[in-house]
Amino acid sequence: MTHNKSRRRGANFNLGAEQAEADKRLLHSAFYESDDYLTISDKDDRRCFIIARTGSGKSAALQQLEEESPGHVVRVIPEDLSLQYITNLGIMRFLDGLEVSLDPLFIALWKHVLLVELIRHRYKVNTPAAKANFLATLRDKIRRDPGKKAALEYLEEFQDRFWVEADQRVREVTEKFEERINKEAKGKIALPGSADATLGATSGDTFSSEVRTELADRFQRIVNETQMARLNKMINVLDEDILDSRQNFTYVVIDDLDRDWVDDKLANALIRCLFRAVLDLQRVDNLKVIVALRTNIFEHLDFGHRSGGQEEKFRALALRMRWTATELEELISERIRVATSDFDVKLRSVYEILPRTNATRGDALEYMLQRTLMRPRDIIAFFNEALARSGRAEPLTWDEIRGAEEPYSRKRLLALRDEWKTSYPGIDRIFEVFEGVTLPMSADEFTRRLDDAITQTAGDPAFTGTEWVYELTAKMWTHAEGSWSDWYGPLVSLLYNIGFIGCKTGSRSEFRFFQDDPDFAERVRNLESITDVTIHPTFHMGLDTRVDYSRRS
């Protein structure tokens, strides 16, 4: 007897995991090649800093790149690099306290990690014999170029430790640096405690300002000399002798830099220095280092003078992942096609599972997209919520879509909290102030709600976000004559930039949201011109808001 493997769509039918990289089948079969993905995979497009909100598909894109380019992708995992070990070292905190710039050390560490990982990958260096063969091959290649001798000496220093895991190499470089700093200090300054005391066990505050200045100058010179000349020679060798043909083109992928793996201040420095190291590696023709970073972390990086005036270059090399309505429609259609491939009713378009457009309720897909922050994760979650309520082979009904909206909205509000709670702990307390509000709000109504949020959190010892709320509203307490944008602007900008609110600047204008106008809240004149504020439709039902359509005109 022949068994028909086709089956009808049932209650378990869905469009796969909201995190595409967690759904191997759909990622492989239904991956949508957006314009952003084509830019990421383009070997000649030098944009290499992938800046995106949570749920925008950056991790899925990088995983797809590995699928499409087997043997040509090196993935560097920050959590495997002992970065927390580095930033917790007493010597690092001591030098940071003296305001010694650790940037040269951190840049050297990143270059060291990337170079060694690329060499290990290119020559399969994982045993002493492989390392010896690699060095012999490379020595033969560069023997006619005396200028590259220093580069080879740099590699030979590692001897039998070359193939150990990256975290061990990072620790080794860091420990050598620590030894050099302590050696420099020994006999020149008196350390409190025993004769074996080290700088890492003390604090710069124990010294006078004159001694602090002298120490900072002395140690800064050591930091500045950290292997940079020989490392830069190695980059030339990488370009001309290791990745010397298109056949050896290699992508390096660095994701998950938004994990809580280091202290905030030093994490900022480490990421900023990674950007500078990547910038230097741009001169290697057959290499593309791709760094994926969440939008909020990128915007908070302290480029400024510490980046050597290179902020403009960083931004020019940044790709901000955004999705159009057409791309999201095509992404959902592709998922539907793959998800129904073994069903008796095969579907190819998103409109085959949506109610027809009508004059009363409009276009169902447009309705659903308006209740997203224009990210794949949002629209997939909305569809899955509606499909879970259906369980029939027929298209979804408007009642099923509306019934799914409330749980979907509540979950998206929680997701917004989770996305931003590391940078802004307790931010959900700000969201709660807008529960039950009638929309849209006039500027005055909105201001009263902000006042409630500020006063309620300021007086609550259990609130964990006192520091950032005070920082954003500092001028309210210190500038009695300040303007509205002085007092409320930073908090309004935050709520706008995370996608929570939209703003209107006159009766004839439309509400603007971050996904449509990312720079709106960065201009003071726009903030001063706000006449009405609304909550993004994604969160209406989650906050039990009511829309008064008579107010919208």
Side-chain angles (χ1 to χ4, degrees):
M1 185 172 69
T2 301
H3 292 280
N4 187 350
K5 293 184 179 180
S6 294
R7 53 197 177 93
R8 291 180 64 80
R9 176 166 71 86
N12 293 326
F13 175 73
N14 62 58
L15 301 187
E18 295 166 25
Q19 293 176 287
E21 67 272 20
D23 196 322
K24 298 288 187 181
R25 174 175 174 261
L26 278 172
L27 179 63
H28 179 72
S29 304
F31 181 80
Y32 176 74
E33 288 191 347
S34 66
D35 286 344
D36 285 344
Y37 176 73
L38 295 176
T39 298
I40 291 169
S41 59
D42 188 340
K43 296 174 181 177
D44 297 313
D45 194 309
R46 306 311 286 175
R47 283 174 286 180
C48 55
F49 304 124
I50 313 305
I51 313 302
R53 292 281 302 271
T54 297
S56 296
K58 60 180 175 62
S59 295
L62 297 178
Q63 191 164 326
Q64 180 67 14
L65 183 66
E66 289 187 89
E67 294 273 338
E68 287 191 351
S69 306
H72 291 272
V73 178
V74 177
R75 184 175 282 270
V76 176
I77 301 172
E79 289 182 339
D80 293 345
L81 295 180
S82 289
L83 298 175
Q84 193 164 20
Y85 161 80
I86 296 169
T87 56
N88 283 335
L89 275 176
I91 194 69
M92 298 299 178
R93 297 185 178 278
F94 175 83
L95 295 174
D96 188 52
L98 287 178
E99 298 187 356
V100 171
S101 172
L102 294 168
D103 284 13
L105 171 65
F106 291 159
I107 293 169
L109 273 172
W110 280 116
K111 286 183 178 180
H112 173 74
V113 166
L114 295 174
L115 283 165
V116 175
E117 287 302 303
L118 282 163
I119 291 168
R120 278 164 48 97
H121 174 80
R122 168 76 174 83
Y123 294 99
K124 306 297 183 286
V125 180
N126 50 22
T127 66
K131 188 241 182 181
N133 289 337
F134 154 67
L135 287 175
T137 302
L138 189 58
R139 189 180 292 109
D140 184 61
K141 271 190 171 187
I142 68 176
R143 70 181 185 278
R144 297 183 183 87
D145 189 340
K148 292 178 180 176
K149 184 179 178 183
L152 195 61
E153 289 173 353
Y154 177 77
L155 290 179
E156 288 178 327
E157 276 186 14
F158 292 96
Q159 299 176 12
D160 59 339
R161 300 180 302 279
F162 191 87
W163 61 87
V164 299
E165 293 304 318
D167 66 320
Q168 294 181 51
R169 293 195 302 274
V170 168
R171 285 179 183 242
E172 181 181 359
V173 173
T174 308
E175 286 165 2
K176 284 184 176 179
F177 170 77
E178 183 178 22
E179 288 171 11
R180 190 173 175 195
I181 291 289
N182 280 317
K183 183 179 179 181
E184 176 70 18
K186 198 169 185 179
K188 295 183 175 65
I189 58 175
L191 296 175
S194 70
D196 296 327
T198 62
L199 287 174
T202 187
S203 167
D205 294 336
T206 61
F207 305 108
S208 67
S209 58
E210 292 81 1
V211 172
R212 283 172 56 86
T213 301
E214 180 187 348
L215 290 175
D217 290 343
R218 186 187 300 275
F219 296 141
Q220 189 67 67
R221 283 195 297 273
I222 294 176
V223 174
N224 293 345
E225 294 167 0
T226 310
Q227 299 284 7
M228 292 302 286
R230 295 197 298 172
L231 273 167
N232 288 332
K233 283 288 185 185
M234 269 306 305
I235 293 177
N236 292 338
V237 172
L238 181 71
D239 182 31
E240 299 168 12
D241 305 291
I242 297 175
L243 301 180
D244 53 349
S245 71
R246 205 64 164 176
Q247 184 179 351
N248 296 324
F249 190 97
T250 305
Y251 300 94
V252 175
V253 169
I254 305 174
D255 196 7
D256 293 329
L257 281 164
D258 49 353
R259 300 281 176 87
D260 298 333
W261 39 267
V262 283
D263 171 80
D264 282 347
K265 184 181 177 184
L266 289 172
N268 188 305
L270 278 164
I271 296 172
R272 186 180 65 247
C273 291
L274 170 60
F275 276 45
R276 292 180 65 180
V278 171
L279 203 60
D280 287 346
L281 286 164
Q282 285 266 313
R283 68 177 188 260
V284 181
D285 287 338
N286 295 310
L287 172 68
K288 186 171 185 177
V289 183
I290 300 169
V291 180
L293 199 62
R294 256 181 28 200
T295 302
N296 63 309
I297 296 176
F298 180 74
E299 294 301 337
H300 282 89
L301 287 180
D302 179 21
F303 290 121
H305 69 281
R306 293 198 175 198
S307 66
Q310 294 177 315
E311 179 175 1
E312 188 176 341
K313 291 182 182 178
F314 295 150
R315 295 190 181 279
L317 292 172
L319 171 67
R320 294 178 178 273
M321 289 188 72
R322 295 197 181 99
W323 291 77
T324 65
T326 299
E327 286 178 326
L328 290 174
E329 175 189 333
E330 292 174 354
L331 178 146
I332 293 296
S333 292
E334 186 66 13
R335 283 201 163 216
I336 288 169
R337 181 189 66 77
V338 172
T340 63
S341 60
D342 59 350
F343 283 72
D344 55 357
V345 177
K346 294 176 176 59
L347 306 176
R348 295 191 172 275
S349 166
V350 62
Y351 287 104
E352 293 184 60
I353 63 169
L354 288 175
R356 291 182 178 179
T357 301
N358 61 56
T360 304
R361 288 181 161 173
D363 183 293
L365 180 60
E366 183 179 335
Y367 178 91
M368 296 176 78
L369 286 174
Q370 286 174 348
R371 284 149 183 80
T372 73
L373 299 184
M374 297 300 287
R375 302 178 296 190
R377 188 173 299 178
D378 297 338
I379 192 64
I380 292 168
F382 202 163
F383 266 97
N384 282 345
E385 200 74 53
L387 290 167
R389 291 174 166 268
S390 173
R392 303 186 316 280
E394 291 80 10
L396 295 168
T397 66
W398 273 103
D399 286 344
E400 288 163 348
I401 292 172
R402 292 301 300 269
E405 187 176 347
E406 183 176 354
Y408 160 79
S409 181
R410 280 191 277 103
K411 291 173 184 176
R412 288 299 93 197
L413 191 62
L414 292 174
L416 188 69
R417 175 203 66 186
D418 292 342
E419 181 180 355
W420 296 96
K421 67 183 181 183
T422 300
S423 299
Y424 304 101
I427 195 170
D428 50 313
R429 288 284 300 275
I430 309 297
F431 302 157
E432 290 169 5
V433 170
F434 296 93
E435 285 185 357
V437 70
T438 298
L439 301 171
M441 297 171 279
S442 68
D444 287 342
E445 290 176 279
F446 178 60
T447 300
R448 285 194 291 272
R449 295 278 175 169
L450 291 181
D451 286 337
D452 289 344
I454 294 165
T455 55
Q456 287 178 24
T457 55
D460 184 355
F463 178 60
T464 56
T466 302
E467 185 176 338
W468 68 262
V469 171
Y470 179 79
E471 182 180 335
L472 292 182
T473 60
K475 289 186 178 179
M476 184 181 296
W477 316 108
T478 58
H479 293 67
E481 302 300 322
S483 65
W484 185 88
S485 62
D486 287 333
W487 286 10
Y488 298 98
L491 185 54
V492 174
S493 295
L494 169 64
L495 295 176
Y496 180 88
N497 290 338
I498 68 174
F500 183 68
I501 63 170
C503 302
K504 193 175 180 181
T505 56
S507 59
R508 295 186 179 182
S509 70
E510 298 291 327
F511 277 105
R512 296 175 183 175
F513 294 95
F514 179 81
Q515 63 262 35
D516 308 312
D517 189 353
D519 298 323
F520 172 83
E522 305 307 313
R523 296 186 284 269
V524 173
R525 68 176 181 274
N526 288 341
L527 296 175
E528 292 287 1
S529 301
I530 292 173
T531 56
D532 301 273
V533 177
T534 192
I535 305 298
H536 194 284
T538 301
F539 312 111
H540 282 188
M541 287 197 173
L543 289 169
D544 195 25
T545 63
R546 187 174 73 86
V547 178
D548 183 350
Y549 292 95
S550 66
R551 292 189 181 187
R552 303 180 77 176
S553 58

